[in-house]
Amino acid sequence: MDFKPVVEAFEQMEQTSSRLALTEFLVALLKKTPPVMIDKVTYLIQGKLYPDYEGIELGVAEKMVIRAIASSSGKDQPQIERIYQKTGDLGDAAGEAMKPKGQSTLFSEPMTVERVYSTFDRVARTAGSGSQETKLRLISSLLNDATVAEGRYIIKFVMGQLRLGIADYTVLDALAVAFTGDKANRQVLENAYNVSSDLGTVAKLVATKGLEAVRSIKITLFKPIRPMLAERITTSEEALERMEGKAAVEYKLDGERVQLHKGKNTVELFSRRLEKITSHYPDLEGAVKSIESEVILEGEVVAINSQTGEYLPFQELMHRRRKYGVEEAMENYPVAMNFFDVLYVDGKSKMELTYMERRKLLKKIIAGVKNDKVRLIEQTIATKPEEIDRFMAAAIENGCEGVMIKQMSSSYRAGARGYAWVKLKREYSNDLADTLDLVIVGALHGRGRRAGKYGALLLAAYDQKADMFQSVTKVGTGFTDVHLEQFYKELEQHVINRRHPRVETGMDMDAWFEPKMVIEVIASEITLSPSHAAALNALRPGYGLALRFPKFTGKIRDDKKPEDATSTEEIVTMYKRQLKVAGPSRTGAEEEG
Ligand code: ATP
C-alpha cells in the first residue's frame, strides 16, 4: 500500500477540529486500506507500532533525528536547530528543511506503508551500543526517499508527536462503519477490545473475517483485560439498596491496581492503564512464582511500612517507578500485593462466574503461596448499613481510602463502570463526597510569584459518548512551588498552538495542551456554569457544570489515561446527589472555577 493516502489522511485529520469529520476521514482511510494492512494502519494513526501493553517504543534521541534531517535535506545541524526553534515541532521543521527538495528522486525505493512500518519496527528493536547510529541510518533511509509531506509525518511519528487526536473509541466507531456498515456494531468490537486491549487485532479481524470472528475473541494470557470499574455512592444505605440487601464489602486500599498474568514460567504485571510494569516490582514477580496454575489475577499493590507492616499512601509507590536502583528501592520501599479477583485459570475465562465463585477460586489459588507479599483482600458480607459502617471504620483505621462494595452475583464486566461495584470513601473535609480526576487541557500564565510558570490550569472531564474532554474548572490552589515547576516542565511536551480538537470549552486560555496529564482535585460543590462545557445543556439549556472552590490534592494520577478521568456523567450524578442533600437553592451559585 502506498504511504501517500495515509499521509493525505493525516493532513486532513490534523487540520480539523470536528470529531465527526475526524471519524469520516478515518472511515475513508480504512476503506482504502488492504485488509491485511489494517492492523498496521490502525496502530500508525495512533502513533504506535503495537498495542500499548507491548511497551515497544522507538527510543530515538532528538539530536539523532536532527542529524537525520540535516543529512537528507543537505542543510547543516545548526540550520535545522534554528528552524526547529521557530516551528517548535521537529516534524514541521523537517518539512520546512526539506522544502526545496520537492518530489523524491528518480531512483528512490517506493514509499509504501509496509516499508515505513518495517523500518520503524527495526528502529524500535535496535538496542545496545551503537544503536543510535543504526537508528539514524534507518530514519535517513526513509527521509532520503520521502516527499516533504511524508518526511514531516515520518519525523512526527518518530518523535512521538503525531497529534491527530484519534482515541480508541473513535477508531472503534470508524471500524464499525467501515466494515459492517452500521455504527451500532461498535459494541461487539468494543467487547472484543475490552478483553484483548489490542485495537489492531480487532481491526484486522473485522476487516478480514467479519463480525462473527470478532465475537469469538477470547481472553488470553499476557494480553491485559480492561479493568472493571466502580460507581461512587455516599452512604452504606444506598450501597445495600443497589445490591438488593446483601453485599460483599472489602477494604479499598490506596495503592496501584495491578493485573497479574502468570504463565508456566513467565510473569507479567500490567498497570491500570494496561502498561507493562513488571520491572517496577521484581519482588512480586518472585512472590507469585509458586502459584501452580496459569492465571490472570487482579489486586492492589500497596506500599507498606517495613517496621510496622502498616499500609502507606499511594505516593510511596512512586519510589518504585525507576529504571535504576530497583534493588535498593525494593529494600527501602517494600510492597504487598492484595488480590481481589481472578479472571482466568489454565486456558479458561472465569469472568462469567459470579463474584463469590471467583472469590472462592481466588482463595484456593492463593492458599498455596507462602509469602507475606501475597495477600487476599480483607472482606466481609454485610446485610445491614451498620455492618458496612463498622467495616469502613476499621478499613480507615488501617490506612485505606474506604471500602469497595460488590454485588455477590455479578460477573466481571471488563472495561465497564457500573453499580455492580461501588466505592464508599471516607468523608473529606470538603463538601463533595469524592475527589475528581481531571485532565489538564489549558493554562493561564502566572503573575507575580508565579511569573514564568502557569498560574492556573484549565481542567476537563471526559464525555464518553462524544469522546471529548469538556472543561469543568480552572484550578490555581493547592500547588507548591515544586509542583508549579514540575507541571511547567511536563506540560511543555504537550503544548499545542490552539485548542485541541477533542477539547470543548467556553474559556479563553494563554496556553493549550494535548489532553494527557490527569490530576486529582477536591471541590466544595458543583454549580451550573455558562462558560464550562461539561454536561452542556444536560441540566439547563446553555449551561454546563463547574466546580466551585477547586483545589489540587497533590496527586498526579499518572496511573490514569485521559479517558480514565472522571466522566461528565459522573459529575452530573454528583450534582444531582448534592441537590438531594441540600435542596435546589445551592445550585444557583455563580461558577467560580
Ligand atoms: P479512584 O480514583 O477512586 O481510585 P478509580 O477511577 O481509579 O477510582 P474505581 O473503579 O473508581 O477506579 O475505584 C476502584 C479502584 O480502587 C480500583 O481501580 C483499584 O485500584 C482500587 N481498589 C482498592 N481496593 C479494591 C478492591 N478491594 N476491589 C477493587 N478495587 C480496589
Side-chain angles (χ1 to χ4, degrees), residues 228-231 250-257 272 300 340 355 377 401 404 406 417 421 423 425 434-435 437 520 557 559-560 564:
M228 177 165 175
L229 299 171
E231 286 285 353
E250 296 175 357
Y251 277 12
K252 184 177 194 313
L253 296 166
D254 186 17
E256 173 169 28
R257 185 172 188 157
R272 186 189 189 289
E300 189 86 352
F340 56 76
Y355 185 63
I377 227 152
E401 285 184 304
M404 295 289 297
K406 299 181 180 177
R417 193 183 289 281
W421 287 11
K423 52 186 173 183
K425 291 201 191 176
D434 198 3
T435 53
D437 300 320
E520 188 184 79
R557 294 293 308 254
D559 61 327
K560 283 197 169 182
D564 299 326

Side-chain angles (χ1 to χ4, degrees), residues 95-116:
E96 194 69 17
M98 287 163 68
K99 245 182 197 158
K101 184 179 165 196
Q103 291 303 306
S104 48
T105 53
L106 204 55
F107 303 106
S108 58
E109 254 185 79
M111 193 60 72
T112 60
V113 179
E114 289 86 340
R115 177 180 172 200
V116 173

